[in-house]
Amino acid sequence: MEFTLAITGASGSIYAQRTLMHMAASGVVERINLIMSKAAVTVAKVELGVDLTKPERGTLNRWIGLPPDSRLIQLHRLDNIAARPSSGSHPQEGMVIVPCSMGTLGAIASGAGTNLIHRAADVTLKENRRLVLVPRETPYNAIHLENMLRLSRAGAHIIPASPGFYHRPQTIEALVDHLVFRILDHLGVPHSGATQWRGVKESTGELISATED
Ligand SMILES: Cc1cc2nc3c(=O)[nH]c(=O)nc-3n(C[C@H](O)[C@H](O)[C@H](O)COP(=O)(O)O)c2cc1C
C-alpha cells in the first residue's frame, strides 16, 4: 500500500508522528509520501522540540522509530508540484492530512490550492480515493464548519482531533493512539489497537473487552 501523509500547522504534531509510526508498524504500507507545510515545522518545534527543517532521511526515520536507512518515507518539498502525489496517474490508496489546519482545509474546500498538499488532496478527491482530514481548531467558526461540510460532501472523511476517553487512557500516547487507530480504520490500514466498541456489561457497567467477546 502507498499513501500520502501531509502535516500542516494545526496543533497536534504528535498525531502525525504516531500515525506515521503505526502505518510503518502495520507491515502493509510500503511507501509514505510525506509533505510538510512551513507552519507544520514551526508547530512541531514548539510542541515536540523536534527540528524538521530540511530533515535528513536519518532524522525523519529516528523521529518515528525506523531504522536509519529505511526508505519507507519519501519526503517531498511543499513547492514541488511535480512530485508523485500531484498526479492522479500515480497509483496510491489515499491521503491523510494530520493535523489539518483551517487554512489548508479552506484551500482544499475552495479548490484554489497553491501547494503540493492542496494539489495532492484535490487529486485524491478527483480520483475517488480515500482522503482523511484530521482538523484541529477550537472553537470552529461558521467558515470552518461550512468548509468541513463541503469536503465531507465531496467524499472526504472528516475525523476531528477530538480523542475519546472511554478506553480510559493512562498516557498521552494512549489518548493519541485511540484517534490514530480510527484514522487507520478509515484508510484501511490494519493496526494493533482495538477500536471496536463492544458495549458494557449490564451487571457492572464495565467495558466488554475483546477477549470477552
Ligand atoms: C503553535 C501553533 C499552534 C497552532 N494551532 C493551530 C490549530 O490548532 N489550528 C489551526 O487551524 N491553526 C493553528 N495554527 C495556525 C496555523 O499554523 C496557520 O494558520 C498556518 O498559516 C497554517 O498553514 P498551513 O495550513 O500551510 O500549515 C497554529 C500555529 C502555531 C504557531
Side-chain angles (χ1 to χ4, degrees):
M1 292 178 115
E2 175 173 336
F3 291 94
T4 292
L5 186 148
I7 312 175
T8 70
S11 182
S13 313
I14 190 171
Y15 287 114
Q17 182 188 27
R18 295 195 71 83
T19 302
L20 284 165
M21 282 173 56
H22 287 291
M23 282 176 109
S26 72
V28 300
V29 178
E30 290 157 347
R31 174 193 280 267
I32 302 171
N33 298 296
L34 177 65
I35 317 166
M36 292 185 284
S37 72
K38 285 184 183 160
V41 174
T42 303
V43 175
K45 180 77 179 164
V46 170
E47 296 187 341
L48 301 176
V50 60
D51 186 1
L52 297 175
T53 325
K54 296 186 185 163
E56 307 275 323
R57 178 178 299 283
T59 313
L60 269 180
N61 286 339
R62 208 168 28 253
W63 185 48
I64 60 165
L66 284 172
D69 56 347
S70 167
R71 302 191 70 80
L72 178 79
I73 295 176
Q74 303 288 318
L75 181 66
H76 301 285
R77 277 201 340 263
L78 188 65
D79 62 355
N80 183 6
I81 43 87
R84 289 173 193 233
S86 69
S87 174
S89 65
H90 178 67
Q92 56 175 337
E93 268 67 32
M95 174 174 182
V96 53
I97 306 182
V98 56
C100 184
S101 73
M102 294 305 106
T104 290
L105 192 92
I108 302 166
S110 73
T114 52
N115 65 34
L116 181 60
I117 295 175
H118 309 154
R119 169 66 185 164
D122 197 65
V123 165
T124 305
L125 285 178
K126 85 180 172 70
E127 298 297 331
N128 280 328
R129 296 177 186 151
R130 292 175 208 205
L131 176 65
V132 172
L133 304 176
V134 185
R136 194 276 152 198
E137 185 51 280
T138 195
Y140 291 128
N141 66 33
I143 297 170
H144 303 151
L145 292 166
E146 283 181 1
N147 283 339
M148 281 189 254
L149 179 60
R150 197 163 190 203
L151 285 164
S152 176
R153 286 185 170 144
H157 302 230
I158 309 286
I159 305 184
S162 37
F165 291 87
Y166 48 86
H167 62 301
R168 297 188 188 171
Q170 299 298 307
T171 61
I172 288 182
E173 287 75 15
L175 187 77
V176 167
D177 283 355
H178 193 250
L179 187 91
V180 169
F181 294 146
R182 297 299 288 128
I183 294 169
L184 297 187
D185 287 342
H186 280 254
L187 288 174
V189 174
H191 56 79
S192 56
T195 44
Q196 286 174 9
W197 176 250
R198 294 185 163 79
V200 292
K201 293 173 207 160
E202 281 187 19
S203 50
T204 62
E206 292 291 317
L207 287 180
I208 298 171
S209 68
T211 50
E212 294 170 290
D213 222 7

